[in-house]
């Protein structure tokens, strides 16, 4: 099964973001992420066997909780850059999220669980560019923020229509103040 750890967005925020990015849908050659799939990936594990779930769960459960859980959704960005975008995203700022991701990734390493070790760049992918976009004009984006209480282990099933995500396990991240 294909797995990753992520923070989910509240449904009303997914709708707001979707409305804000609608002007971009005029660009052809972009596979837009379905709004129900908006999330922040903490660590992509890839294909894992059922027998590995216990060890994966143990690594996630031992992530220390944090006091701060505010996530700010700031503005547009792209990998590798906005001049030649391959992935369009929204920039994310969150010290609590960085701490969670850092600790989770360290625990995965210590438990010999393989994952994509590219540097963690907090972002919300909104589209993948299949061709080339000429003269990309980005609409005004109104920054948003929300607090999160959990992160999830998510199973991803790839289909021709796009991925289907299923939350397998939830992990509370917020210390009781």
């Amino acid at each position: 099964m294909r797995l990753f750890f992520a923070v989910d967005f509240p449904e009303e925020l997914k709708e707001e973001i979707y409305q804000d990015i609608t002007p971009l849908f005029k660009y052809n050659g972009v596979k837009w992420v379905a709004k129900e799939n908006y999330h922040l990936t903490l660590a992509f594990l890839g294909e894992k066997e059922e027998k590995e779930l216990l060890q994966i769960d143990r690594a996630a459960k031992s992530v220390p909780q944090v006091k701060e859980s505010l996530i700010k959704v700031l503005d547009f960005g792209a990998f590798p850059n906005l001049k030649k975008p391959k992935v369009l995203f929204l920039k994310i700022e969150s010290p609590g999220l960085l701490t969670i991701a850092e600790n989770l990734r360290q625990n995965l390493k210590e438990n010999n669980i393989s994952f994509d070790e590219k540097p963690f760049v907090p972002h919300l992918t909104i589209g993948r560019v299949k061709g080339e976009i000429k003269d990309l004009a980005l609409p005004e984006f109104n920054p948003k923020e929300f607090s999160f209480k959990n992160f999830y282990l998510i199973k991803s099933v790839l289909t021709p229509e796009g991925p289907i995500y299923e939350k397998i396990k939830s992990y509370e991240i917020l210390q009781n103040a």
Side-chain angles (χ1 to χ4, degrees), residues 53-176:
L53 282 177
L54 192 61
Q55 196 172 5
I56 291 168
D57 182 54
R58 199 175 308 128
K61 279 182 179 170
S62 60
V63 171
Q65 293 184 320
V66 294
K67 291 179 181 154
E68 177 58 54
S69 69
L70 187 68
I71 290 178
K72 294 179 182 177
V73 185
L74 299 174
D75 200 4
F76 293 102
F79 296 126
N81 58 55
L82 286 169
K83 292 210 184 304
K84 290 195 176 208
K86 290 295 172 204
V87 174
L88 294 169
F89 63 83
L90 292 170
K91 298 173 190 172
I92 302 293
E93 185 180 278
S94 172
L97 185 74
L98 289 172
T99 302
I100 295 288
E102 193 176 281
N103 287 323
L104 175 62
R105 289 161 163 255
Q106 187 58 43
N107 288 356
L108 292 169
K109 280 182 191 174
E110 288 170 6
N111 283 278
N112 297 314
I113 299 164
S114 63
F115 65 97
D116 183 347
E117 293 191 45
K118 278 189 230 120
F120 178 66
V121 178
H123 68 281
L124 164 60
T125 299
I126 57 172
R128 290 175 179 79
V129 181
K130 301 298 177 194
E132 190 176 316
I133 296 178
K134 294 199 187 313
D135 304 320
L136 176 63
L138 296 170
E140 180 84 21
F141 184 80
N142 298 315
K144 300 164 185 358
E145 54 184 51
F146 71 99
S147 290
F148 68 107
K149 294 180 173 69
N150 302 66
F151 71 93
Y152 302 92
L153 177 60
I154 299 175
K155 176 177 160 184
S156 171
V157 178
L158 300 179
T159 72
E161 294 78 37
I164 297 169
Y165 298 149
E166 176 190 345
K167 292 176 184 169
I168 294 179
K169 190 95 173 156
S170 176
Y171 303 93
E172 202 167 308
I173 58 89
L174 208 53
Q175 286 177 355
N176 293 332

Side-chain angles (χ1 to χ4, degrees), residues 23-41:
L24 291 172
F25 296 169
K26 67 183 179 190
Y27 292 103
N28 295 322
V30 179
K31 174 92 169 110
W32 298 104
V33 174
K35 71 179 167 191
E36 62 269 14
N37 287 345
Y38 291 170
H39 67 274
L40 289 163
T41 301

